[in-house]
Amino acid sequence: MKTALFALLVTSAMTLASTAVMAQDPNGYPEPYTEIKNYFQLPAGRTMGSTNTVFGDSKGNIWIVERCGGNGCEKTPDIDPVMQFTKEGKFIKSWGKGKLLFPHGIFIDKEDNIYIADNHNDGKIGDTVTKFDPNGKVLMVLGTPGKAGNDYTHFHEPNAVAVGPDGSIYVGDGHSADVAHGPEFSNPRQTPTTGNARVSKFDKNGKFLTAWGGHGSGDGQFQNPHCIAIAPNGNVFVGDRSNNRIQQFDKNGKFISAWKQFGRPSGCYIDSKGTLYVADSESHSVKDSYGLNPGFKRGVRIGSATTGVVTAFLKDDPEIDPEKSGTSNGEGVWAGKDGVVYDAEVGQKAVVVFKPK
């Protein structure tokens, strides 16, 4: 009884906090950071491509996976998309040529293994999540390389990957809706409609455990599960981008809450203190336009993963007109223990650094 009452009180508090935050100007939070562009020193002759993948390892180094100087590696398979830098921005090494087509999500575990979601396929590679060691050796592959699908041995355009405290692997699957579900689809928790819109959970060895989702805007449904972040308590936060919300679940997919105060989520990350960082790269205010999210400007909103209260907002480039740009600001975000925020941008082809003042 006490447990149920406590859960009810927590849920009520989170709902009240969310309502209070939504009553404020979603773009009016302070920005106590200094923005630094061109922070990372690329090798001679190398240019940064589109990226939404940035993450730090246990040694303080920063890893960026970019799309081979453009917005995809299909035509440039001789370029290493995975790059390692010191926290001061100095280049260390790169690898991954010919192994990735369209890197779209990254996570680094406690042993510094690197998980990368590959969002495209060419019939040979892609539509996978691959676990690499820090030198680029393939340790595990989830999905079927080069083939899209909707059973639990396939993905279709996987967006994101994250690893829970117990080593469980979560994959956000489904960026567009153009794959019809076949009769082999057997998950009663996902509506059999077109395209994948789900989170799949695997154990640390890659064994499928469960999945949840389905197309729609109801609790636990998705329209483009574009990012995943894991809270210190193991709860799973999913950026349900086309529904303009973050959804929170327990580790087995039980719905807890949905928040809209963080904007239209393209990228998300939760640090060890429970601070939630959400990158909004698509919000528009023009009626009937893609990314419609009236009242919200693009940028990174920072707040509590416990209460949902937003406390800071890192604004997008002021020279960018969001009504004339499909994407700007970061589609991926990560923050270090020192509070430095890294914003990985597809449109501007950059990783921008924000240091606390």
Side-chain angles (χ1 to χ4, degrees):
M1 183 67 180
K2 289 182 178 180
T3 301
L5 179 59
F6 177 76
L8 177 62
L9 289 173
V10 170
T11 302
S12 298
M14 292 169 65
T15 301
L16 289 171
S18 178
T19 302
V21 170
M22 288 300 292
Q24 300 178 18
D25 177 2
N27 313 304
Y29 301 101
E31 187 176 5
Y33 292 81
T34 299
E35 181 179 1
I36 306 173
K37 296 184 178 181
N38 302 312
Y39 183 81
F40 293 98
Q41 303 164 30
L42 299 178
R46 185 74 183 263
T47 57
M48 184 74 76
S50 294
T51 177
N52 68 339
T53 46
V54 60
F55 218 94
D57 64 23
S58 67
K59 300 176 179 61
N61 297 317
I62 307 299
W63 294 78
I64 297 170
V65 190
E66 56 90 33
R67 298 171 187 166
C68 300
N71 195 25
C73 297
E74 291 92 336
K75 297 181 180 180
T76 51
D78 57 334
I79 294 178
D80 287 325
V82 184
M83 296 188 290
Q84 182 187 28
F85 298 85
T86 68
K87 65 179 181 180
E88 292 79 23
K90 295 182 179 180
F91 175 79
I92 298 175
K93 66 184 178 186
S94 64
W95 46 260
K97 63 179 65 175
K99 295 181 179 180
L100 298 165
L101 295 174
F102 199 79
H104 201 281
I106 185 173
F107 190 92
I108 299 179
D109 67 19
K110 297 176 183 177
E111 287 75 41
D112 287 337
N113 298 307
I114 302 164
Y115 301 73
I116 300 174
D118 195 353
N119 191 258
H120 289 180
N121 86 69
D122 64 358
K124 297 179 181 179
I125 64 171
D127 268 326
T128 52
V129 170
T130 303
K131 177 182 178 181
F132 298 93
D133 76 5
N135 294 310
K137 179 182 179 181
V138 175
L139 302 177
M140 181 170 61
V141 177
L142 301 177
T144 302
K147 187 175 181 180
N150 50 65
D151 63 20
Y152 299 129
T153 63
H154 295 82
F155 302 120
H156 183 252
E157 296 186 330
N159 298 312
V161 57
V163 179
D166 64 353
S168 295
I169 305 164
Y170 300 86
V171 178
D173 182 24
H175 197 280
S176 59
D178 58 2
V179 174
H181 288 291
E184 72 279 7
F185 185 78
S186 59
N187 179 12
R189 300 183 66 183
Q190 181 172 324
T191 304
T193 182
T194 56
N196 295 340
R198 64 189 181 192
V199 172
S200 293
K201 179 182 179 180
F202 303 83
D203 72 12
K204 63 181 181 180
N205 299 312
K207 178 184 177 181
F208 174 78
L209 297 176
T210 188
W212 66 90
H215 286 275
S217 57
D219 293 347
Q221 294 181 314
F222 304 115
Q223 293 291 6
N224 192 347
H226 204 268
C227 66
I228 298 179
I230 309 296
N233 65 359
N235 284 351
V236 181
F237 287 66
V238 182
D240 183 14
R241 187 166 76 174
S242 292
N243 281 321
N244 297 333
R245 64 185 182 179
I246 289 278
Q247 294 196 69
Q248 181 183 182
F249 304 87
D250 72 10
K251 64 181 181 180
N252 295 312
K254 181 181 178 180
F255 175 82
I256 297 174
S257 61
W259 295 340
K260 289 182 172 288
Q261 63 267 27
F262 285 87
R264 184 177 173 89
S266 287
C268 50
Y269 174 72
I270 300 174
D271 67 20
S272 60
K273 297 179 181 179
T275 301
L276 172 60
Y277 304 79
V278 178
D280 180 342
S281 68
E282 288 193 346
S283 282
H284 286 273
S285 295
V286 176
K287 186 178 180 180
D288 298 327
S289 68
Y290 173 78
L292 180 64
N293 193 22
F296 283 82
K297 294 182 179 179
R298 298 175 183 179
V300 178
R301 290 176 179 84
I302 303 171
S304 171
T306 302
T307 65
V309 173
V310 181
T311 55
F313 179 48
L314 312 182
K315 299 178 180 63
D316 192 12
D317 291 340
E319 65 270 20
I320 297 291
D321 182 351
E323 308 309 331
K324 296 180 180 179
S325 173
T327 179
S328 62
N329 182 57
E331 292 203 17
V333 63
W334 184 80
K337 293 180 180 179
D338 55 2
V340 176
V341 179
Y342 301 83
D343 195 35
E345 302 179 337
V346 169
Q348 290 103 313
K349 294 183 172 66
V351 176
V352 178
V353 173
F354 293 87
K355 290 189 175 183
K357 293 181 179 178

